[in-house]
Amino acid sequence: MEYIEPEFGSLIKYPIILANIGTGASFILVDENKTFKRIGGTNLAGGTFSGISSLLQQTVSSEEISDLITVGNKDNVDTLVRDIYGSAYKNIGLDGNIVAGSLDKVRNYSGKFLAADVCSSSAFMICNNLVHLLSLYVLVHNAMSVLISGSFPAIPSITSIFEESMNAKLNVQSKILRHGGYLSCLGI
């Protein structure tokens, strides 16, 4: 995955979906004539993640949150397919490392779980859900490209989660805008 500047010109194939992800997320379809319309959105985005992180660590600093995600291990609090079946569930093509339930192990945990593990799990849960929504919008609208912008994907550890998820789930050209966090200031 590479960053691109907002002046992407001929690099992007139309129609595109611009996903502006900050407190919430808004998905905008742009056609080759540069006309656009909002096609959907969700409240499950950066605001949700910041709220969970703040409850756990009493912090809202992007740097601290990014550090927590990096040191956390989501597998300590997420239930994976292998936790349920002992390994992959090959009959239906599920890899053993696929998350079956985000934060599911927390409910049965008798000890103290680490806030960093919960932050890591929450980041993956939110990013994966956003990319899943994007993949559905790509199918419905026959989009050829996806551009990601906003303050949430600008957090370094979140950027890498988006990259991993987009590479696995989106079968179209996907880019993260380098200075995409500023688009919200423009009302985009």
Side-chain angles (χ1 to χ4, degrees):
M1 185 71 55
E2 64 201 58
Y3 283 107
I4 62 169
E5 299 298 329
E7 303 82 28
F8 48 85
S10 63
L11 298 176
I12 302 298
K13 298 175 189 162
Y14 289 89
I16 66 170
I17 293 177
L18 172 64
N20 191 25
I21 304 168
T23 302
S26 192
F27 305 120
I28 299 164
L29 182 68
V30 183
D31 66 20
E32 51 279 340
N33 298 319
K34 312 291 190 297
T35 59
F36 60 92
K37 68 176 179 176
R38 184 176 187 275
I39 55 173
T42 180
N43 62 332
L44 185 65
T48 305
F49 178 75
S50 294
I52 291 169
S53 300
S54 295
L55 286 171
L56 291 169
Q57 286 296 110
Q58 291 77 46
T59 181
V60 291
S61 159
S62 294
E63 293 80 19
E64 290 174 298
I65 290 171
S66 187
D67 290 344
L68 285 173
I69 295 167
T70 302
V71 299
N73 182 354
K74 65 182 181 56
D75 295 352
N76 291 337
V77 293
D78 290 348
T79 297
L80 307 178
V81 168
R82 70 173 181 248
D83 296 325
I84 298 169
Y85 300 107
S87 64
Y89 190 1
K90 294 180 181 168
N91 291 349
I92 60 172
L94 283 177
D95 183 278
N97 294 321
I98 291 178
V99 176
S102 295
L103 301 172
D104 185 51
K105 289 179 184 174
V106 172
R107 67 186 167 101
N108 296 322
Y109 198 65
S110 57
K112 179 139 172 80
F113 55 86
L114 296 176
D117 294 342
V118 174
C119 283
S120 179
S121 173
S122 300
F124 273 87
M125 173 181 59
I126 291 168
C127 291
N128 285 334
N129 274 284
L130 287 166
V131 172
H132 183 70
L133 281 173
L134 278 168
S135 70
L136 295 174
Y137 282 122
V138 163
L139 287 173
V140 168
H141 296 284
N142 296 313
M144 302 295 291
S145 303
V146 171
L147 297 178
I148 305 285
S149 69
S151 56
F152 184 56
I155 299 169
S157 55
I158 297 289
T159 302
S160 63
I161 296 169
F162 267 112
E163 289 172 348
E164 180 182 321
S165 188
M166 288 189 306
N167 287 335
K169 295 178 183 165
L170 292 178
N171 294 323
V172 297
Q173 184 180 33
S174 306
K175 305 287 181 189
I176 298 174
L177 297 176
R178 181 178 305 273
H179 301 293
Y182 295 106
L183 289 178
S184 297
C185 297
L186 301 173
I188 295 174

